[in-house]
Amino acid sequence: MSDRLAAMPPRWGIDIRGAGPLYHRLRLALEEPILSGKLKEGDVLYPERDLAAHVHVSRVTVRKAIDHLVRHGLLVRRPGSGTFVSGSALRADQPLSCAVSLTGEVSWRGSDTEVVWIERSTSHPASEEMMTLGLSGDSRVTRLTRLRSSAGRPLAIERICISSEFLPDSLSVTSSTDKTPVDADFRPVRAIERIFACNIEDPDANMLGGTIGTAGLLTKRVAYLASGRAIEFTRCLFRGDADGFVTELTFLEN
């Protein structure tokens, strides 16, 4: 076995059982040692063939898992050199445990926000949603999209995607303060949020009252069950000229 594989956590690559496609389970197994710091910036992953043999899956499965981590900035491919842990794979030392709500509340400094629902629907998942939540193309997801404003000024668009297995009725969420009505067994125990600078394009620019190409801030948060399965994927697009904002997460009693 290679030095790098031998240095990985003992449970990595041995137990990838659980719900969802193989590539999704493998992606979680790769993601955990990166986000926990067991694999450091600049650490190299061995070739796809070696990884596939180590976990007894196909190279196609390994490639799909790695592709996802590359797109999300945790890994970087360097032609002719290999695949490395990215310098952007940083984790704040504040794990989100026992979160009671799938949808965190967002507010701005010194202001109360207003909410307008843009979409509450159920449909098949898009490609990014399939990859993030480990769903198949014939699965169904519930989408919740809302526009947050303050004093009549649009500030953010929030897009929430949850498998219909956990939230079958989009209309059961009726206000910004409602707790998402899922069974207690399906409460998320941790979440990972990534933050990106971006340029805002239409139709989002129009909804936010800005011009096409103006600066914005995009956050992508994935909430996980204790089993490691991703249960919720939330994307928030903020105006770049907002005074500041606070994300509040609610926790269950231990």
Side-chain angles (χ1 to χ4, degrees):
M1 184 181 294
S2 67
D3 292 340
R4 174 54 56 204
L5 291 176
M8 288 184 174
R11 70 180 182 83
W12 185 91
I14 296 175
D15 185 6
I16 56 173
R17 293 173 297 177
L22 271 175
Y23 74 85
H24 174 67
R25 287 180 262 156
L26 177 58
R27 187 260 296 179
L28 290 176
L30 279 166
E31 186 178 77
E32 190 280 330
I34 296 173
L35 292 174
S36 66
K38 295 170 186 174
L39 291 179
K40 308 293 186 182
E41 176 184 353
D43 279 350
V44 62
L45 296 186
Y46 268 59
E48 293 174 4
R49 179 183 289 108
D50 290 4
L51 291 174
H54 185 64
V55 295
H56 307 293
V57 298
S58 71
R59 290 184 65 184
V60 172
T61 296
V62 171
R63 173 156 292 191
K64 288 181 71 173
I66 291 177
D67 284 348
H68 179 96
L69 296 175
V70 169
R71 284 197 302 271
H72 285 76
L74 295 181
L75 296 175
V76 59
R77 285 191 175 101
R78 297 174 185 165
S81 298
T83 303
F84 298 80
V85 176
S86 170
S88 63
L90 302 177
R91 176 178 178 173
D93 191 21
Q94 295 181 347
L96 304 178
S97 59
C98 302
V100 69
S101 174
L102 291 179
T103 56
E105 292 300 312
V106 180
S107 60
W108 274 259
R109 295 186 309 203
S111 66
D112 295 325
T113 58
E114 305 157 1
V115 174
V116 174
W117 287 102
I118 298 173
E119 177 186 19
R120 282 180 289 177
S121 64
T122 301
S123 61
H124 294 296
S127 177
E128 185 180 21
E129 294 163 345
M130 289 172 56
M131 288 289 293
T132 301
L133 298 177
L135 302 174
S136 62
D138 58 357
S139 300
R140 306 281 288 182
V141 294
T142 296
R143 290 195 185 87
L144 306 169
T145 303
R146 51 198 182 188
L147 175 67
R148 293 184 176 274
S149 304
S150 177
R153 180 191 182 199
L155 293 175
I157 300 170
E158 184 179 35
R159 293 181 170 94
I160 304 162
C161 179
I162 303 170
S163 171
S164 295
E165 174 184 353
F166 305 112
L167 184 64
D169 182 10
S170 62
L171 297 180
S172 63
V173 181
T174 58
S175 77
S176 63
T177 58
D178 279 353
K179 305 304 181 192
T180 306
V182 295
D183 187 274
D185 291 337
F186 299 130
R187 300 292 190 191
V189 298
R190 68 185 183 98
I192 296 171
E193 185 169 87
R194 298 179 178 89
I195 304 174
F196 309 86
C198 66
N199 294 321
I200 303 176
E201 305 294 339
D202 266 345
D204 294 339
N206 182 57
M207 285 191 285
L208 290 174
T211 57
I212 297 175
T214 192
L217 185 69
L218 176 65
T219 67
K220 294 184 178 183
R221 185 178 74 240
V222 184
Y224 297 90
L225 299 175
S227 65
R229 181 175 178 182
I231 187 174
E232 175 240 346
F233 180 34
T234 297
R235 289 152 289 184
C236 291
L237 179 62
F238 301 92
R239 287 176 58 137
D241 58 354
D243 293 334
F245 59 89
V246 177
T247 300
E248 178 184 345
L249 295 168
T250 307
F251 299 87
L252 287 170
E253 296 293 332
N254 293 325

